[in-house]
Amino acid sequence: MNKLIQIIILSLLQAVATSSTAHEAHVHGSATVLLAQDGNRLTLEFDSPLDNLLGFEHAPRTDKQKQAARALLDIMQKPDTLLKLNAEADCQLTTVKVVAPVLQAAAATASKDEHANLHAEYEYSCTKAAALKSLHLSLFDAFPAIHKVDAQMAGARGQVAATLTPKQRTLTW
Ligand SMILES: [Zn+2]
């Protein structure tokens, strides 16, 4: 195939993938978790509409909203209570990145968009990476507005995907 055509097709595919991910990412009641294992390193990405986590998606206005936003950003820094990897793998959290522009930007830069997301990325280093086999979501307790989580794991043994719910909280691979 002509190289230029290849490039065009690739960028088209990428555009489609990007827009469909962005689209799927914002359904109230739903969230996504993506896990990727590379040797002893594990990356976990969590995406959710802010509505699921706070009940609103605008910059916080009242004191109560500001407090709730701070508490949310705080709990997202310590994911251990929300997302539990099986203990046998002995994974230590090494990096945390939480992005929620609506909550983190200065109040003046209010978003024109009616919807807003929170994106969090966690990196773990696992001493016994071969023993890594499950992720349990306790976040259903912390965020009752989340009814389902599309979870995916990609590792050396392939890929698994499942829709997790308050009744089925564990992804195993
Ligand atoms: Zn929304």
Side-chain angles (χ1 to χ4, degrees):
M1 202 189 295
N2 180 312
K3 188 129 199 182
L4 179 63
I5 293 175
Q6 270 184 359
I7 291 169
I8 292 170
I9 290 175
L10 274 179
S11 47
L12 279 177
L13 285 176
Q14 207 159 29
V16 169
T18 313
S19 64
S20 73
T21 321
H23 180 70
E24 283 166 26
H26 202 98
V27 177
H28 290 189
S30 295
T32 59
V33 168
L34 300 176
L35 286 163
Q37 186 184 0
D38 181 14
N40 67 341
R41 284 187 45 210
L42 181 79
T43 311
L44 193 163
E45 289 185 55
F46 171 75
D47 272 286
S48 170
L50 273 181
D51 186 74
N52 291 346
L53 313 172
L54 279 179
F56 59 90
E57 299 194 331
H58 52 74
R61 296 177 196 130
T62 65
D63 283 348
K64 203 177 163 191
Q65 288 173 351
K66 286 176 188 165
Q67 205 173 18
R70 268 198 303 272
L72 172 64
L73 293 174
D74 223 46
I75 193 172
M76 297 312 299
Q77 293 289 328
K78 295 166 265 179
D80 311 27
T81 53
L82 307 174
L83 306 148
K84 285 195 189 85
L85 295 160
N86 66 295
E88 295 84 354
D90 193 19
C91 298
Q92 306 300 323
L93 186 64
T94 56
T95 313
V96 176
K97 191 172 116 191
V98 178
V99 183
V102 166
L103 305 183
Q104 292 159 326
T109 59
S111 163
K112 274 177 242 155
D113 201 341
E114 287 171 34
H115 295 283
N117 276 25
L118 179 139
H119 175 80
E121 278 178 44
Y122 306 105
E123 267 183 38
Y124 298 85
S125 174
C126 305
T127 315
K128 293 170 189 147
L132 194 57
K133 60 173 194 295
S134 71
L135 175 74
H136 180 82
L137 302 186
S138 16
L139 58 80
F140 289 111
D141 294 325
F143 307 119
I146 299 181
H147 301 299
K148 86 181 178 81
V149 174
D150 290 316
Q152 255 183 61
M153 162 70 181
R157 278 170 286 167
Q159 257 187 325
V160 286
T163 300
L164 302 179
T165 65
K167 284 185 179 161
Q168 173 47 45
R169 302 179 171 210
T170 308
L171 180 72
T172 49
W173 57 87

